[in-house]
Amino acid sequence: MNLAELPPLSLYVHLPWCLRKCPYCDFNSHEKRGDLPEAQYVDALVADLEASLPKVWGRRLSTIFIGGGTPSLFAPSAIDRLLVAVRTRIPVDPEAEVTLEANPGTFEAERFRGYREAGVNRLSVGVQSFDDARLAAIGRVHGADEARRALEHALAIFPTVNADLMYALPGQSLEGALSDVREAIAFGVPHVSAYHLTLEPDTHFHRFPPPLPEEDVAADMQVAIEQALAAAGYEHYETSAFARPGHRARHNLNYWTFGDYLGIGAGAHGKLSFRDRILREARIRKPASYMRGALEGAAIDESREVSERELPFEFMLNALRLVDGFPVALFTERTGLPIIAIARELEAAEAAGLLERDYLRIRPTAKGQRFLNDLLELFLPQARPRERAAPISISPRGTTRPS
């Protein structure tokens, strides 16, 4: 494998605490108990970054994403110290997108202004729904009015704002799902992420499933949401992402085009390319253990090289989430493999009506977008005798699933 040119580099920072663990959440998040160790945790993040610098010498950060947990539990001064530490240790593009996730339950206008002054230029607000009953059903700590106030202030302070919404919630109707989307549109939010609620393993909802809408109803919700956003001028550019022109999430696009990202913080994942290999890393998950390890120069819990047989699936797992697909040449640029390496898989996907292609671009069809898992399965590495393939699924945040 020969990677002629390294892909863009992003930084993902994981702040693992939240006010209360949501029953559907399988992220590495931990309920806040007492005062947060903000200073100690930022110290650990800086130490983690410094220990990682030799792997990214000479490279520049194009985006920064601070996710969680609930990063807005951290004071603006802590976020400022973190971003100053990053900028003094690694070159950052002057036009870098810097995103911070915020929960309406921790909303304070002064905090939002403080994050903006610290250098955050994109806020992602975890609205989920504007219906108090639906918010209660999924265990959110905020109400609809808090979400509205948070969005109103975010739009007045930040150049671009994302509203996270969920649909197919317990007790939700098609009209209820559409009402949430219409309200986000009415606010003028330039970016909307709309996620289907899924019952992830190792969550409270997986153990005690709530009554959810039927599959056909959930599918109708998805279609209606896509149509409503399209009619309002939003581009549907990724499975769950919709943006007004000029407001696509650059950080997430780097994930989906198989770019590189350094992940620091408890449980953070990273992917780094070198001239002859691609490396996956995972940090220690428990916050206290992570802080001890990072300060001792040992924050990494797992590090492994991605084998050539895994690369096609890892690339497709990301790139086929994009509605417009990807340029054919990008496959070789990001994996170091010729496109002929997946000729059989591409033919099978095309024959099944899940994918379309020409000499310049490969993209999922409308059917492929609806049945994305079926499309991706065609690119799974074939297991050898006595061996099972175990590719890693990496989310747009550098954690373990889409968010």
Side-chain angles (χ1 to χ4, degrees):
M1 178 171 60
N2 179 25
L3 300 174
E5 184 176 339
L6 298 181
L9 177 67
S10 295
L11 175 68
Y12 175 76
V13 184
H14 194 69
L15 308 186
W17 290 281
C18 53
L19 288 175
R20 185 172 68 199
K21 182 83 170 180
C22 294
Y24 57 83
C25 178
D26 70 341
F27 289 161
N28 184 38
S29 58
H30 305 263
E31 290 191 11
K32 173 181 176 291
R33 302 185 188 281
D35 293 335
L36 290 178
E38 288 188 5
Q40 300 95 312
Y41 194 74
V42 173
D43 288 343
L45 290 171
V46 174
D48 190 356
L49 177 63
E50 287 184 339
S52 302
L53 291 178
K55 300 171 189 173
V56 294
W57 282 133
R59 302 182 68 180
R60 176 189 294 264
L61 293 178
S62 58
T63 66
I64 300 171
F65 195 108
I66 304 171
T70 304
S72 53
L73 285 174
F74 273 54
S77 58
I79 301 300
D80 180 66
R81 187 161 79 89
L82 168 65
L83 291 176
V84 168
V86 170
R87 292 180 184 278
T88 55
R89 286 164 176 80
I90 185 169
V92 178
D93 191 305
E95 302 300 319
E97 176 190 86
V98 182
T99 302
L100 182 133
E101 290 186 322
N103 187 325
T106 62
F107 162 68
E108 293 176 18
E110 287 302 317
R111 281 201 169 215
F112 278 15
R113 279 189 280 269
Y115 298 139
R116 182 69 186 100
E117 292 169 0
V120 174
N121 54 29
R122 181 177 184 271
L123 200 73
S124 182
V125 184
V127 173
Q128 313 312 350
S129 176
F130 293 102
D131 182 326
D132 282 325
R134 302 287 75 75
L135 290 170
I138 59 173
R140 298 295 288 178
V141 299
H142 70 273
D145 285 342
E146 285 177 291
R148 294 182 181 105
R149 288 196 298 271
L151 276 183
E152 181 180 357
H153 283 273
L155 288 163
I157 294 169
F158 294 90
T160 190
V161 174
N162 169 61
D164 265 348
L165 298 176
M166 299 181 75
Y167 64 94
L169 305 179
Q172 190 176 48
S173 65
L174 172 59
E175 183 55 36
L178 265 178
S179 177
D180 284 341
V181 172
R182 289 176 183 139
E183 186 155 357
I185 292 169
F187 265 103
V189 178
H191 191 285
V192 174
S193 298
Y195 302 109
H196 186 300
L197 174 64
T198 54
L199 305 185
E200 301 290 348
D202 300 321
T203 65
H204 181 82
F205 271 2
H206 191 264
R207 293 187 292 273
F208 305 99
L212 299 178
E214 297 292 333
E215 284 188 18
D216 287 348
V217 175
D220 289 342
M221 289 179 182
Q222 181 180 351
V223 172
I225 287 168
E226 291 173 0
Q227 291 175 344
L229 287 163
Y234 289 79
E235 302 165 335
H236 184 197
Y237 69 100
E238 185 271 341
T239 301
S240 304
F242 306 80
R244 292 255 168 96
H247 289 276
R248 294 187 179 194
R250 287 158 49 197
H251 183 88
N252 290 351
L253 279 169
N254 193 35
Y255 288 128
W256 294 321
T257 53
F258 210 49
D260 280 357
Y261 51 100
L262 175 63
I264 61 174
H269 287 247
K271 175 228 168 203
L272 296 173
S273 298
F274 300 87
R275 297 298 178 190
D276 58 349
R277 69 190 190 282
I278 293 175
L279 192 67
R280 289 283 193 196
E281 295 181 336
R283 264 52 180 179
I284 297 169
R285 288 179 58 85
K286 292 184 177 179
S289 299
Y290 166 77
M291 286 189 283
R292 286 195 301 270
L295 293 172
E296 294 169 0
I300 297 174
D301 183 52
E302 179 185 355
S303 178
R304 72 178 188 92
E305 185 175 331
V306 181
S307 68
E308 283 195 12
R309 59 191 295 270
E310 293 175 294
L311 277 172
F313 176 73
E314 293 232 2
F315 177 89
M316 292 297 185
L317 180 66
N318 293 278
L320 288 178
R321 293 182 64 89
L322 294 169
V323 172
D324 292 334
F326 59 91
V328 172
L330 188 70
F331 178 80
T332 299
E333 290 173 16
R334 295 289 193 259
T335 67
L337 302 174
I339 194 66
I340 197 173
I342 54 170
R344 183 176 58 185
E345 291 85 351
L346 290 172
E347 289 171 4
E350 195 171 25
L354 299 171
L355 182 147
E356 58 187 14
R357 57 181 172 144
D358 53 31
Y359 290 106
L360 297 177
R361 181 166 288 271
I362 296 170
R363 62 177 65 81
T365 61
K367 179 182 176 182
Q369 293 171 41
R370 289 284 180 269
F371 300 97
L372 183 59
N373 286 341
D374 293 338
L375 173 56
L376 293 173
E377 283 178 6
L378 296 174
F379 295 92
L380 278 168
Q382 296 299 310
R384 297 170 182 171
R386 301 179 181 274
E387 178 184 328
R388 293 181 64 194
I392 295 177
S393 174
I394 301 298
S395 85
R397 297 197 314 179
T399 49
T400 53
R401 69 172 175 83
S403 70

